[in-house]
Amino acid sequence: MSLFQSEEMTLCQLFLQSEAAYACVSELGELGLAQFNDLNPDVNAFQRKFVNEVRRCDEMERKLRYLEKEIKKDGTPMLDTGENPDAPQPREMIDLEATFEKLENELREVNQNADALKRNFLDLTELREILRKTQVFFDERDEASGADGTGSRGLLSEEPFTGKIAPGQAPAQLGFVAGVILRERLPAFERLLWRACRGNVFLRQAEIDRPLEDPATGDSVNKTVFIIFFQGDQLKSRVKKICEGFRATLYPCPETPVERREMAVGVMSRIEDLSTVLSQTTDHRHRVLVAAAKSIKTWFIKVRKIKAIYHTLNLFNLDVTQKCLIAECWVPVADLEYIHDALRRGTARSGSSVPPILNRMETQIPPPTFNRLNKFTRGFQNLIDSYGIASYREVNPAPYAIITFPFLFAVMFGDAGHAVIMILFGGWMILSERKFEGKKGSEIWNIFFGGRYILFLMGLFSMYTGLIYNDVFSKSLNIFGSSWFTNKIRMSEDVLLETKDHIMLDPRDCYTQYPYPVGVDPVWQVAENKISFLNAYKMKISIIIGVLHMLFGVSLSIWNHIYFRRMVNIFCEFIPQVIFLLLLFFYLCILVFHKWVWFGPLGGNASGPYCAPSILIAFINMVLFKDAEKQPTGCDSPLLYSGQETIQKVLVVCALICVPWMLFIKPFILRSQAKKQAYAFVETVIVPRGDEETALAPNGSSPQAGGGGHDGHGHGEEFDFSEIMIHQGIHTIEYVLGSVSHTASYLRLWALSLAHAQLSEVLWSMVMKIGFGFTNVGAGAVVIYVIFAFWAVLTVSILVLMEGLSAFLHTLRLHWVEFMSKFYLGQGYAFSPFCFRDILAAAEGADE
């Protein structure tokens, strides 16, 4: 029953002993049927009783996130057994804190040691590469200096080099620095070095073959060894500053080959030792992370449950003795026994000897809206809730939308071939829901998966309307044989296939008078007057469906009026609204059926299609009180039936009477009731939240339960007649004008159905049909293979996805505006119980 109307809710006051409060709230969190109110709205979050416990939980959560980040960085899989442990006792928080503190400290220490070892390893590796690469550079320098001392010249000498040393001048000694720089910085480094030193330095470089690991980021980087020869301390200082600016690393490099060889041997030995220590450190870190990965999911659940419990306890009040916690919560009346059982279990767990007390309270506050849902109905309820949460105990449109939503979609999307694609996709998601449930994908995938049952039903209903339209990928199925013939030739399947030119169908000469058993006759696929026939058919069907849909919506409003005992609304709103809709628009539907039945091709001139009056013109003349226009020569009467004008005038007059009926009677009745209440003052004063359109309340437990149909204007609230009059005038104008515009709005069923069929036909004739035009079998097979792939992609992307989305949005609009506006307010707020399952799911979604 809660699917058709929200659950009856009650406000309860809960008294808990301090030592039992934690366990009782934990049990209520596992149950997930209590929504707690904040009894400390004016108290700062940092001044509440359990703020220290919440901070401790935040700190534990921070440590767990650090562990999780390290586990993911290491690539260790985290074990998820699906276990849902109970919330730990408060005393267990100390053990958890100690465990997390130990793991964090150990991991940070291991990471620090590993980082230091990696930096040392990188330094030694770069030094080893320098010693290897620079040996060639030193050999070249020695050769340039010359064994006899004649080839040595200062880099800064202003005299031209002659190959000989001037008398009394000592051979110049070149200084050098060696280091490593990132490969992408080398060109800029070389240019700046040349310009800053004015060409008085000599740079040699060699690339390191293997990428090196950056200990800070863990990324692989390419580096280059360089050595710079110069002369003088001034150049040396300038070169070092440039190296520092480009973040090049400089290393000491001995000048003699013997010293370089000795240093290389020492570096190799240290690298081997560091490799061993680094490997052991990495193994130890991996073992720590593997041990943590086995329990981290469970730890997250425990910490989040503890945090949620203390957040909820912060909503409670303390009594004067500081020994009892007082809470207020909304619970479903049907689940009160489960609440009592959970409180008893919590008391037993805590070892308290004082049982908790749960009292039901009378309140003026509107309760939250709670509908029990399953995986099938949840998608449809989400569509309704997107418009607005139902007011408390208001009629829920969701169960009716289970049928009407996919049906109206199918009227616009009617193609059996496209429906098969949608059925297969929706059915696959339904069959695989256990596999995908709980897994977070992209936003688009989550939307599709959440609406898998909606997609499946839309596909099934589209299959039905596709068979009625006899439309399968823009082609028709000739299952029972056509009921039409031309030139005395029956339209068999062979004739239909061989027909290249369109034919004009005249039911006077080409019809057997036996209709096609199911749906539209396939001969209309090749008829010249196909568009005019289907247009007239689908347009009238759209109006009929729309009027019935709106009548159903108005009929549902009586449920609200009866339940909330608003008898004035039944007499002053429901009855005139139904009469207005029936006398004008339902009468229009009757005219459609009358014209279909009475006027036919075999009825002669009087009842033939040539003399059939236009329903649209007849309806316009009816509203404007105009006489029917003269019929063409040879037609008997311009009317659809005898006495039509008199009956239509009576209907319009009665419909117009409904307008002042809706506008004036209710405000005067409410004013009369307000005056009576002013004279008959009662001891118990019920002050509603607002007028009847803004405060919906339950029987016997709400602000309006004793209102007796006063529509929210009881004693204690000042009655403003002008405000009520304006309010009623707005509703009357909205309904009268909306009835016209909403009826026209249902023509979108015809328009989108026609557009979908024409797009499908154009795609077939301009793409797929090309592949059948080849006479060569080999070439035709290849071409049809390619063209079919192209046609299939366009069919899925345009006709199924884009056209499907368009039809979905139009269907949504028809429900939100045309249907639900007749009875649905949607001014409530959702029931948000304290539930561990929802809290954990939200936390996991935020993490991902």
Side-chain angles (χ1 to χ4, degrees):
M1 185 64 182
S2 68
L3 183 62
F4 296 91
Q5 193 178 31
S6 63
E7 286 278 342
E8 185 179 355
M9 307 293 290
T10 183
L11 182 64
C12 295
Q13 193 172 37
L14 180 61
F15 296 88
L16 298 171
Q17 290 297 312
S18 297
E19 63 271 14
Y22 181 93
C24 290
V25 172
S26 173
E27 291 294 333
L28 291 176
E30 298 289 352
L31 189 63
L33 289 173
Q35 175 181 322
F36 291 95
N37 295 335
D38 189 0
L39 300 183
N40 308 296
D42 300 327
V43 180
N44 190 286
F46 300 102
Q47 296 175 344
R48 303 204 176 193
K49 179 176 177 58
F50 299 98
V51 65
N52 291 329
E53 285 78 2
V54 173
R55 285 175 175 171
R56 290 166 61 189
C57 292
D58 286 336
E59 181 64 18
M60 287 192 290
E61 207 168 4
R62 181 196 64 77
K63 293 174 181 177
L64 286 176
R65 284 197 297 268
Y66 171 74
L67 290 175
E68 185 182 35
K69 183 184 72 173
E70 294 297 324
I71 290 171
K72 290 180 178 178
K73 185 189 295 185
D74 189 65
T76 303
M78 289 178 283
L79 181 63
D80 189 4
T81 59
E83 182 184 0
N84 186 20
D86 294 334
Q89 293 297 323
R91 57 180 176 272
E92 296 181 29
M93 281 182 64
I94 301 175
D95 297 334
L96 289 175
E97 286 177 315
T99 302
F100 301 158
E101 183 73 21
K102 178 183 175 182
L103 279 173
E104 184 189 27
N105 291 338
E106 184 177 4
L107 198 55
R108 287 189 183 279
E109 184 179 355
V110 171
N111 286 342
Q112 290 174 0
N113 294 336
D115 290 342
L117 291 172
K118 286 181 180 179
R119 283 194 296 270
N120 291 338
F121 185 79
L122 178 64
D123 293 342
L124 291 174
T125 303
E126 291 178 348
L127 181 55
R128 181 190 62 188
E129 294 295 331
I130 287 175
L131 294 175
R132 286 180 179 177
K133 303 290 185 182
T134 56
Q135 183 60 43
V136 180
F137 305 152
F138 283 112
D139 293 341
E140 292 178 356
R141 187 196 66 167
D142 294 341
E143 292 176 2
S145 298
D148 55 358
T150 61
S152 189
R153 179 176 68 92
L155 288 177
L156 299 179
S157 176
E158 297 179 357
E159 299 178 359
F161 179 66
T162 59
K164 295 182 179 180
I165 300 175
Q169 183 180 358
Q173 182 66 32
L174 293 179
F176 67 90
V177 292
V180 175
I181 190 172
L182 289 175
R183 194 173 297 173
E184 57 267 21
R185 296 178 183 171
L186 186 61
F189 173 70
E190 190 172 359
R191 285 195 301 271
L192 182 60
L193 195 64
W194 177 262
R195 291 173 182 172
C197 300
R198 301 183 181 181
N200 290 311
V201 294
F202 183 60
L203 172 68
R204 294 301 306 272
Q205 56 174 309
E207 294 182 355
I208 299 177
D209 300 331
R210 291 181 301 175
L212 302 178
E213 181 183 354
D214 187 354
T217 61
D219 298 332
S220 296
V221 293
N222 294 311
K223 292 191 174 184
T224 299
V225 172
F226 66 87
I227 185 169
I228 304 171
F229 295 98
F230 52 83
Q231 185 177 9
D233 293 337
Q234 187 178 1
L235 279 180
K236 180 179 181 180
S237 174
R238 193 174 300 175
V239 167
K240 285 187 175 181
K241 286 182 180 179
I242 294 174
C243 292
E244 183 180 351
F246 278 87
R247 297 183 182 178
T249 309
L250 300 180
Y251 292 93
C253 185
E255 294 189 9
T256 64
V258 177
E259 290 177 346
R260 288 196 293 271
R261 280 194 297 272
E262 290 177 356
M263 179 178 281
V265 172
V267 167
M268 292 299 296
S269 176
R270 291 174 61 188
I271 287 176
E272 291 177 1
D273 296 339
L274 269 179
S275 298
T276 304
V277 176
L278 193 57
S279 175
Q280 293 175 353
T281 304
T282 304
D283 291 342
H284 176 66
R285 180 177 181 274
H286 181 70
R287 287 194 297 269
V288 173
L289 293 176
V290 168
K294 293 180 181 178
S295 306
I296 192 166
K297 292 290 186 182
T298 305
W299 288 339
F300 263 120
I301 294 174
K302 289 182 178 180
V303 171
R304 283 166 178 165
K305 284 187 175 182
I306 297 172
K307 183 179 177 181
I309 291 172
Y310 282 118
H311 265 303
T312 304
L313 289 174
N314 276 333
L315 304 177
F316 296 3
N317 254 341
L318 279 171
D319 69 341
V320 292
T321 63
Q322 302 289 315
K323 294 183 179 179
C324 180
L325 290 171
I326 304 171
E328 289 184 4
C329 58
W330 291 105
V331 296
V333 174
D335 296 324
L336 279 173
E337 189 58 37
Y338 296 111
I339 301 293
H340 283 291
D341 291 341
L343 293 174
R344 283 192 288 267
R345 289 195 302 270
T347 305
R349 280 180 55 193
S350 64
S352 175
S353 58
V354 181
I357 301 173
L358 185 69
N359 295 328
R360 296 182 63 176
M361 301 171 59
E362 296 294 332
T363 180
Q364 309 293 334
I365 304 173
T369 300
F370 174 48
N371 298 103
R372 299 185 192 273
L373 304 172
N374 53 39
K375 59 186 179 182
F376 175 72
T377 58
R378 189 175 305 277
F380 294 95
Q381 188 67 54
N382 288 338
L383 293 178
I384 303 302
D385 291 344
S386 299
Y387 175 81
I389 304 297
S391 302
Y392 178 65
R393 302 293 282 168
E394 186 181 18
V395 173
N396 184 20
Y400 312 106
I402 294 175
I403 300 300
T404 59
F405 191 91
F407 176 72
L408 292 183
F409 173 87
V411 172
M412 293 181 277
F413 193 76
D415 189 298
H418 302 154
V420 169
I421 299 175
M422 192 171 291
I423 290 172
L424 293 176
F425 182 57
W428 172 73
M429 287 192 293
I430 291 173
L431 295 176
S432 308
E433 63 183 12
R434 290 187 179 180
K435 175 182 176 182
F436 296 111
E437 230 165 7
K439 294 184 179 180
K440 297 295 182 182
S442 64
E443 185 178 359
I444 295 178
W445 165 254
N446 291 337
I447 293 174
F448 276 116
F449 185 73
R452 57 193 180 278
Y453 289 99
I454 301 177
L455 284 173
F456 186 73
L457 281 183
M458 290 193 304
L460 287 180
F461 278 76
S462 298
M463 173 72 78
Y464 165 75
T465 54
L467 293 177
I468 293 298
Y469 296 157
N470 204 348
D471 208 352
V472 183
F473 294 118
S474 78
K475 300 287 113 179
S476 295
L477 299 177
N478 190 11
I479 301 175
F480 304 102
S482 176
S483 299
W484 294 76
F485 57 88
T486 178
N487 298 328
K488 305 302 182 180
I489 301 176
R490 183 71 179 269
M491 291 287 103
S492 64
E493 185 172 356
D494 295 336
V495 174
L496 287 175
L497 289 176
E498 293 175 2
T499 301
K500 296 182 180 179
D501 299 326
H502 288 282
I503 56 176
M504 175 65 74
L505 295 179
D506 188 345
R508 291 176 297 183
D509 305 323
C510 306
Y511 186 47
T512 62
Q513 304 305 317
Y514 295 101
Y516 194 72
V518 179
V520 177
D521 196 297
V523 73
W524 289 103
Q525 188 66 233
V526 294
E528 286 185 7
N529 49 343
K530 169 188 174 182
I531 298 297
S532 59
F533 165 74
L534 291 179
N535 266 358
Y537 167 70
K538 291 183 178 180
M539 181 171 60
K540 294 179 175 64
I541 286 292
S542 299
I543 295 296
I544 294 170
I545 292 174
V547 172
L548 293 177
H549 199 215
M550 291 190 294
L551 273 173
F552 179 58
V554 175
S555 301
L556 286 177
S557 66
I558 196 173
W559 187 336
N560 290 332
H561 300 326
I562 292 175
Y563 179 79
F564 297 112
R565 289 189 253 175
R566 297 191 302 237
M567 302 306 165
V568 173
N569 286 13
I570 296 178
F571 177 74
C572 299
E573 290 185 357
F574 172 73
I575 293 177
Q577 285 177 358
V578 171
I579 292 175
F580 183 84
L581 207 57
L582 288 175
L583 295 185
L584 292 181
F585 301 101
F586 190 73
Y587 172 74
L588 177 63
C589 298
I590 294 176
L591 291 182
V592 171
F593 282 103
H594 174 76
K595 184 175 179 180
W596 279 346
V597 174
W598 186 256
F599 292 91
L602 303 180
N605 288 336
S607 57
Y610 177 72
C611 294
S614 169
I615 295 179
L616 179 61
I617 300 300
F619 186 73
I620 293 175
N621 292 336
M622 168 186 170
V623 176
L624 299 178
F625 292 97
K626 288 179 62 177
D627 295 333
E629 298 178 357
K630 294 183 179 180
Q631 287 290 83
T633 305
C635 297
D636 296 342
S637 172
L639 302 177
L640 289 162
Y641 59 92
S642 59
Q644 176 185 348
E645 291 183 336
T646 303
I647 293 176
Q648 288 182 165
K649 289 178 181 179
V650 173
L651 294 179
V652 174
V653 170
C654 292
L656 292 177
I657 292 174
C658 293
V659 177
W661 184 357
M662 288 186 284
L663 178 60
F664 295 111
I665 295 180
K666 179 180 175 180
F668 283 100
I669 291 178
L670 292 179
R671 188 175 69 171
S672 174
Q673 291 177 349
K675 288 182 179 180
K676 290 180 181 178
Q677 287 184 353
Y679 291 117
F681 182 78
V682 292
E683 293 183 0
T684 305
V685 180
I686 299 178
V687 183
R689 181 170 177 260
D691 60 22
E692 78 284 359
E693 301 299 338
T694 58
L696 295 174
N699 288 330
S701 63
S702 72
Q704 295 162 340
H710 294 175
D711 296 298
H713 298 282
H715 187 82
E717 179 181 345
E718 184 179 355
F719 183 83
D720 189 345
F721 180 76
S722 61
E723 180 182 349
I724 298 299
M725 197 69 198
I726 294 173
H727 184 270
Q728 193 65 22
I730 292 173
H731 276 274
T732 302
I733 295 172
E734 180 185 9
Y735 182 81
V736 173
L737 297 182
S739 298
V740 180
S741 64
H742 292 174
T743 303
S745 181
Y746 279 93
L747 289 174
R748 70 185 68 236
L749 298 175
W750 154 58
L752 266 77
S753 174
L754 178 65
H756 187 81
Q758 290 302 306
L759 277 174
S760 182
E761 187 173 348
V762 167
L763 189 63
W764 179 277
S765 61
M766 298 190 66
V767 178
M768 197 65 186
K769 194 175 180 181
I770 299 175
F772 298 113
F774 287 83
T775 56
N776 189 302
V777 178
V782 175
V783 171
I784 198 67
Y785 180 82
V786 176
I787 287 180
F788 175 79
F790 186 62
W791 173 82
V793 170
L794 292 178
T795 297
V796 173
S797 60
I798 297 178
L799 296 180
V800 177
L801 287 178
M802 294 178 62
E803 281 287 303
L805 178 61
S806 175
F808 179 88
L809 294 176
H810 283 285
T811 307
L812 198 61
R813 182 244 152 78
L814 289 176
H815 279 77
W816 283 358
V817 179
E818 279 73 23
F819 174 59
M820 289 163 53
S821 64
K822 303 294 186 293
F823 66 96
Y824 187 72
L825 295 180
Q827 295 177 349
Y829 63 100
F831 177 59
S832 302
F834 171 62
C835 179
F836 285 145
R837 182 177 59 254
D838 296 341
I839 293 171
L840 295 175
E844 289 179 2
D847 290 343
E848 295 181 4

